Amino acid sequence: MWADASVKFVNTFGALAGFAGVLLVLFYFGGRAKGRMSRRLAIVILLGPGLLLLVVGLAVPVVRTIYLSLFNDDSSKYLGAGNYTWALQNDDIHQVLLNTLLWIVVAPLVTTGLGLGLALLVDRLRGQAVYKSLIFLPMAISFVGASIIWKFVYDYRDPAQPQIGLLSQICIWLGWSHPPNWILSHPLNNFLLMVVMIWVQTGFAMVVLSAAIKAIPEDVTEAAVLDGARGWRLFAHVTIPMIRSTVIVVLTTVMITTLKLFDIIRTMTGGNFGTQVLANEMYSQAFVEFNVGRGSSLAVLLFLAVLPLVAYNIMLLRKEREVR
Amino acid sequence: MTRQGTLARPTGVRRALSSPFATLAVLVMTLLWTLPTFGLLVTSLRPQSDVAQSGWWEVFVHPHFTLSNYHDVLFNGGFGVSDGLMPYLVNSLAITIPATVFPIALASMAAYVLAWVPFKGSDTIFFVFFALQVVPLQMALVPLLQLFSGGAHVGSATVFPALGLGGTYAPVWLAHTMFALPLAVFLLHNFIAQLPRDLIEAARVDGASHFRVFRSIVLPLATPALASFAIFQFLWVWNDLLVGLTFTGGTPEVAPMTARLAQLSGSFGDHWEILTAGAFVSVIIPLIVFFSLQRYFVRGLLAGSVKG
């Protein structure tokens, strides 16, 4: 096994060294060129590889996905909008779309709300760095790791047995002697899975919003206080308007992550028990059922859903950068 | 940036919330946020027989720890699994390091040209990079996989040969690099474009080529931005499941640890000692990266979303 691992590392570092070598050679010869030639070489050598990868790896595939979505499973028969009508008329896909919608509405709102609340609370506390780090920590954990952590919390045992999952144990301590099988049969299982997403992302929302609150100029707050604003009114009329754009950026960022949601569902339920979402269904159609056309049509639907959100987010980001 | 006087006279909301209630609320939240991970760590250190019979909180009554779960999950796999996680851990490293280095090298080069070597069409190219950020990577998975395995053909002419890269890391490296480029170019461009104009123009007047300016002036000055993006990309690739699964087919030769863990989580749902130890192994490297580079990380996070 160690021999195997060393072969892998030789390959990996060989590739890295090769990459570095090619760059060095190009830089050496490019740097020796004179005048106008040198400028052209700089453009070609420095920009070329990135641009090429982008076109081959993203731009062309996006167009091709749209094209593939108009065909049947092995691209032998043109279906027109057939895959889309299939998606929009299929009951299973309705459930998938409904779940996706539920996720992108609920998870970002809860995450941003919790993050904002924490940002307001934590800033004046002694030792805030410790609290912030601990709450931010799940951001470094993969969604697969986080899913295993929460699957363990939700672990179901026959209530007569000693419990292993914390949630059931807490229910029993509180006097609910027969807690349900949380993620496999409980009607709220979609929300229980959402907890994982919220758990991972709240720290991000908190850190960003806390920085935005700190960036509110002190004189603005003081002027409002002199005008008699206190407590809730200060919060609603000064704090919120001042950090509005940051709130929207956070909300959108979390929403995009949520829309691409794949790992949590795959690890926790595999999409069974009414928890399937768009990205997983796309993967199942394209890479498990090998129905390239249907998978592609779902990818296009996902893209159409993300587009306005991201476009808005990026516009906002740009506006902030121009202001700066 | 003006600082709100946190230690000075608390005003308004701050005062309204500066009660024992605030401290208690934050304490409870922090505890809730930490408890699941703590439970995972404790469970992974308990003997198998204990884990199967009682919750991890019992450890406070009967403290009993062992490292054998880690040995099992790394080297034996356990329960009829021939390989442990070790080959997948190696794969994860072998995937993540190049998939972090490649996009940063390519993106910083491209960002330099787009920021400092304007030419006809450079604005359009920047806009294309910029706009492709909106594409969810699911949009590119099927065509990319087809391209890697079958090449590209127009009629009977081969535009792009079948690369025969199955069973190697190259498709995963390439896919991660491609998917990272738009954001990387965008962020690094914003940073590199803000470097002092005098410095770069003076070097150009002295006869330095663009290659030299890039290597000896831009790269050293852009190191903080490069570092912050590198951390993001490292964590992102390390934690990825979708790209790894799609381009490796989940085989032990090349699949990352996340793919194996997702698989284990489906098939060994009851063997918590194995799963929790495995999950902790997968968490440990990002945690080291996160804690040792936290300053850059948070700074990089803020650069993208907050002005100031």
Side-chain angles (χ1 to χ4, degrees), chain B residues 27-38:
Chain B
L27 261 176
V28 169
M29 282 293 281
T30 310
L31 195 70
L32 274 178
W33 244 245
T34 318
L35 213 54
T37 319
F38 182 71

PDB file of all heavy atoms in Angstrom, chain B residues 27-38:
ATOM      1  N   LEU B  27     -23.781  31.909  24.619  1.00  0.00           N
ATOM      2  CA  LEU B  27     -23.232  30.694  25.216  1.00  0.00           C
ATOM      3  C   LEU B  27     -24.006  29.457  24.770  1.00  0.00           C
ATOM      4  O   LEU B  27     -23.425  28.447  24.370  1.00  0.00           O
ATOM      5  CB  LEU B  27     -23.297  30.788  26.746  1.00  0.00           C
ATOM      6  CG  LEU B  27     -22.008  31.209  27.430  1.00  0.00           C
ATOM      7  CD1 LEU B  27     -22.239  31.369  28.928  1.00  0.00           C
ATOM      8  CD2 LEU B  27     -20.936  30.145  27.185  1.00  0.00           C
ATOM      9  N   VAL B  28     -25.341  29.553  24.821  1.00  0.00           N
ATOM     10  CA  VAL B  28     -26.182  28.421  24.435  1.00  0.00           C
ATOM     11  C   VAL B  28     -25.954  28.081  22.961  1.00  0.00           C
ATOM     12  O   VAL B  28     -25.778  26.915  22.594  1.00  0.00           O
ATOM     13  CB  VAL B  28     -27.675  28.724  24.699  1.00  0.00           C
ATOM     14  CG1 VAL B  28     -28.567  27.666  24.065  1.00  0.00           C
ATOM     15  CG2 VAL B  28     -27.928  28.796  26.195  1.00  0.00           C
ATOM     16  N   MET B  29     -25.932  29.118  22.110  1.00  0.00           N
ATOM     17  CA  MET B  29     -25.725  28.877  20.686  1.00  0.00           C
ATOM     18  C   MET B  29     -24.368  28.218  20.429  1.00  0.00           C
ATOM     19  O   MET B  29     -24.261  27.274  19.652  1.00  0.00           O
ATOM     20  CB  MET B  29     -25.779  30.205  19.909  1.00  0.00           C
ATOM     21  CG  MET B  29     -27.164  30.730  19.671  1.00  0.00           C
ATOM     22  SD  MET B  29     -28.110  29.695  18.554  1.00  0.00           S
ATOM     23  CE  MET B  29     -27.434  30.204  16.984  1.00  0.00           C
ATOM     24  N   THR B  30     -23.330  28.742  21.088  1.00  0.00           N
ATOM     25  CA  THR B  30     -21.992  28.187  20.879  1.00  0.00           C
ATOM     26  C   THR B  30     -21.953  26.724  21.298  1.00  0.00           C
ATOM     27  O   THR B  30     -21.379  25.875  20.607  1.00  0.00           O
ATOM     28  CB  THR B  30     -20.953  29.002  21.670  1.00  0.00           C
ATOM     29  OG1 THR B  30     -21.160  30.375  21.386  1.00  0.00           O
ATOM     30  CG2 THR B  30     -19.545  28.617  21.264  1.00  0.00           C
ATOM     31  N   LEU B  31     -22.601  26.458  22.410  1.00  0.00           N
ATOM     32  CA  LEU B  31     -22.647  25.082  22.901  1.00  0.00           C
ATOM     33  C   LEU B  31     -23.357  24.181  21.894  1.00  0.00           C
ATOM     34  O   LEU B  31     -22.870  23.108  21.525  1.00  0.00           O
ATOM     35  CB  LEU B  31     -23.380  25.056  24.244  1.00  0.00           C
ATOM     36  CG  LEU B  31     -23.206  23.782  25.064  1.00  0.00           C
ATOM     37  CD1 LEU B  31     -21.782  23.711  25.594  1.00  0.00           C
ATOM     38  CD2 LEU B  31     -24.210  23.723  26.208  1.00  0.00           C
ATOM     39  N   LEU B  32     -24.528  24.653  21.408  1.00  0.00           N
ATOM     40  CA  LEU B  32     -25.292  23.890  20.418  1.00  0.00           C
ATOM     41  C   LEU B  32     -24.464  23.645  19.160  1.00  0.00           C
ATOM     42  O   LEU B  32     -24.510  22.570  18.567  1.00  0.00           O
ATOM     43  CB  LEU B  32     -26.552  24.663  20.027  1.00  0.00           C
ATOM     44  CG  LEU B  32     -27.779  24.483  20.897  1.00  0.00           C
ATOM     45  CD1 LEU B  32     -28.912  25.358  20.403  1.00  0.00           C
ATOM     46  CD2 LEU B  32     -28.204  23.015  20.894  1.00  0.00           C
ATOM     47  N   TRP B  33     -23.706  24.662  18.752  1.00  0.00           N
ATOM     48  CA  TRP B  33     -22.922  24.551  17.516  1.00  0.00           C
ATOM     49  C   TRP B  33     -21.742  23.592  17.671  1.00  0.00           C
ATOM     50  O   TRP B  33     -21.286  23.003  16.710  1.00  0.00           O
ATOM     51  CB  TRP B  33     -22.431  25.952  17.109  1.00  0.00           C
ATOM     52  CG  TRP B  33     -23.025  26.384  15.805  1.00  0.00           C
ATOM     53  CD1 TRP B  33     -22.349  26.608  14.652  1.00  0.00           C
ATOM     54  CD2 TRP B  33     -24.405  26.624  15.517  1.00  0.00           C
ATOM     55  NE1 TRP B  33     -23.236  26.963  13.663  1.00  0.00           N
ATOM     56  CE2 TRP B  33     -24.497  26.980  14.166  1.00  0.00           C
ATOM     57  CE3 TRP B  33     -25.589  26.557  16.267  1.00  0.00           C
ATOM     58  CZ2 TRP B  33     -25.719  27.270  13.540  1.00  0.00           C
ATOM     59  CZ3 TRP B  33     -26.784  26.846  15.650  1.00  0.00           C
ATOM     60  CH2 TRP B  33     -26.839  27.195  14.314  1.00  0.00           C
ATOM     61  N   THR B  34     -21.220  23.495  18.910  1.00  0.00           N
ATOM     62  CA  THR B  34     -20.013  22.703  19.112  1.00  0.00           C
ATOM     63  C   THR B  34     -20.332  21.261  19.477  1.00  0.00           C
ATOM     64  O   THR B  34     -19.562  20.350  19.173  1.00  0.00           O
ATOM     65  CB  THR B  34     -19.166  23.341  20.234  1.00  0.00           C
ATOM     66  OG1 THR B  34     -19.177  24.752  20.040  1.00  0.00           O
ATOM     67  CG2 THR B  34     -17.742  22.849  20.194  1.00  0.00           C
ATOM     68  N   LEU B  35     -21.477  21.069  20.130  1.00  0.00           N
ATOM     69  CA  LEU B  35     -21.830  19.759  20.666  1.00  0.00           C
ATOM     70  C   LEU B  35     -21.776  18.627  19.627  1.00  0.00           C
ATOM     71  O   LEU B  35     -21.192  17.571  19.908  1.00  0.00           O
ATOM     72  CB  LEU B  35     -23.219  19.844  21.312  1.00  0.00           C
ATOM     73  CG  LEU B  35     -23.455  18.947  22.527  1.00  0.00           C
ATOM     74  CD1 LEU B  35     -22.385  19.188  23.570  1.00  0.00           C
ATOM     75  CD2 LEU B  35     -24.842  19.228  23.102  1.00  0.00           C
ATOM     76  N   PRO B  36     -22.357  18.793  18.414  1.00  0.00           N
ATOM     77  CA  PRO B  36     -22.331  17.685  17.461  1.00  0.00           C
ATOM     78  C   PRO B  36     -20.907  17.240  17.108  1.00  0.00           C
ATOM     79  O   PRO B  36     -20.622  16.040  17.062  1.00  0.00           O
ATOM     80  CB  PRO B  36     -23.041  18.262  16.229  1.00  0.00           C
ATOM     81  CG  PRO B  36     -23.911  19.327  16.762  1.00  0.00           C
ATOM     82  CD  PRO B  36     -23.154  19.922  17.912  1.00  0.00           C
ATOM     83  N   THR B  37     -20.003  18.207  16.889  1.00  0.00           N
ATOM     84  CA  THR B  37     -18.625  17.863  16.543  1.00  0.00           C
ATOM     85  C   THR B  37     -17.934  17.187  17.715  1.00  0.00           C
ATOM     86  O   THR B  37     -17.190  16.219  17.551  1.00  0.00           O
ATOM     87  CB  THR B  37     -17.842  19.124  16.141  1.00  0.00           C
ATOM     88  OG1 THR B  37     -18.674  19.931  15.341  1.00  0.00           O
ATOM     89  CG2 THR B  37     -16.587  18.761  15.384  1.00  0.00           C
ATOM     90  N   PHE B  38     -18.196  17.726  18.912  1.00  0.00           N
ATOM     91  CA  PHE B  38     -17.613  17.144  20.114  1.00  0.00           C
ATOM     92  C   PHE B  38     -18.076  15.689  20.269  1.00  0.00           C
ATOM     93  O   PHE B  38     -17.281  14.795  20.560  1.00  0.00           O
ATOM     94  CB  PHE B  38     -18.033  17.992  21.324  1.00  0.00           C
ATOM     95  CG  PHE B  38     -17.461  17.511  22.623  1.00  0.00           C
ATOM     96  CD1 PHE B  38     -16.115  17.657  22.896  1.00  0.00           C
ATOM     97  CD2 PHE B  38     -18.275  16.910  23.573  1.00  0.00           C
ATOM     98  CE1 PHE B  38     -15.583  17.207  24.090  1.00  0.00           C
ATOM     99  CE2 PHE B  38     -17.751  16.463  24.776  1.00  0.00           C
ATOM    100  CZ  PHE B  38     -16.398  16.613  25.030  1.00  0.00           C
TER     101      PHE B  38
END
